[in-house]
Structure formats: C-alpha cells, structure tokens
Amino acid sequence: GDWVVQLADHIADETKRALPSGERVEVEILDIDRAGEFEWTYGATNQDVRVLRDLYAPKIDLRFKRLDASGNVIAEGERRLTDLNYLWGPQPLPSSDTLRFEKRLIDQWVRKEFVTRR
C-alpha cells in the first residue's frame, strides 16, 4: 500500500502547521515498525489479520533538520518515536484509520519538538 507516503504526508502537514512562518523542517524516515503484527491464524494467511498487542508497539526512527527562513540549521537530530502504552488511554480517532497509532506518534513528536509554549 501507500502507507509510507501517507505517514510522510502527515509529517509534512503537522510540521508545517507547528512551525513559525518562514521555518521549515526536513525529515528523513529511517525505519517504521507499525503497531501490531501479523500472527498465524488457522485458516487465514499471515496477510489477513494484524493483531494489536502491548508487545507490538509502533516505532518510527527519523532524522530531521529544522531550518530558519535563511536556510540556517536551527536544530537537528535523530529520534526514535515509540509508545509502549499505545493501546491504553484515549484512542486516536477515527478508529477506521489504519495508521492512527503511527500518526499519534508523529503528532506527539511534533508537539514536543516544535511547538513552543507561549
């Protein structure tokens, strides 16, 4: 599917919304391990059912550069995004979005990394 493109688009949208005017961020996705895992089930192929369990937490590894309006690097680094409690607490909506847990990871990272408190 095109889920990697969907996550990249989500990163672009969320960072653009969070950054002050003129700033931009370049993000390189290094690795994605989606929430859940395909488990063998009698009568089903391993592509039929993605099982969500605590031990199958979503993880995203990325590298980023935050640039000012002149193209100067303000901040950069590598991050490993993960949420071991992704099944607990308020669930991301809509529940029909198959990338909801990964998008929540991205949203949490953007808030923590780029949103300044006023």
Side-chain angles (χ1 to χ4, degrees):
D2 64 344
W3 59 269
V4 175
V5 173
Q6 290 178 44
L7 290 177
D9 289 344
H10 189 73
I11 290 171
D13 292 344
E14 294 303 308
T15 55
K16 183 177 180 181
R17 192 177 354 252
L19 293 172
S21 181
E23 289 187 12
R24 65 186 174 89
V25 66
E26 297 173 354
V27 178
E28 180 183 358
I29 299 171
L30 304 174
D31 190 34
I32 301 172
D33 188 3
R34 290 184 55 198
E37 191 64 55
F38 293 108
E39 292 184 350
W40 184 84
T41 305
Y42 182 75
T45 68
N46 63 351
Q47 298 299 314
D48 289 340
V49 179
R50 180 175 279 279
V51 178
L52 300 176
R53 297 186 196 277
D54 291 345
L55 66 142
Y56 303 140
K59 296 176 198 71
I60 301 174
D61 295 333
L62 53 83
R63 180 179 301 130
F64 76 97
K65 284 185 186 178
R66 182 177 181 173
L67 304 139
D68 66 14
S70 300
N72 299 313
V73 176
I74 299 171
E76 63 183 324
E78 288 189 15
R79 302 290 185 264
R80 168 166 273 188
L81 316 179
T82 190
D83 182 2
L84 300 176
N85 295 315
Y86 78 104
L87 290 175
W88 302 98
Q91 294 300 308
L93 296 174
S95 61
S96 61
D97 186 343
T98 59
L99 298 171
R100 64 190 177 276
F101 299 111
E102 294 79 9
K103 288 179 180 178
R104 181 170 61 185
L105 277 182
I106 292 163
D107 295 347
Q108 290 168 344
W109 170 66
V110 168
R111 278 193 306 273
K112 182 178 177 183
E113 195 79 50
F114 302 113
V115 176
T116 56
R117 295 194 175 25
R118 297 177 188 187

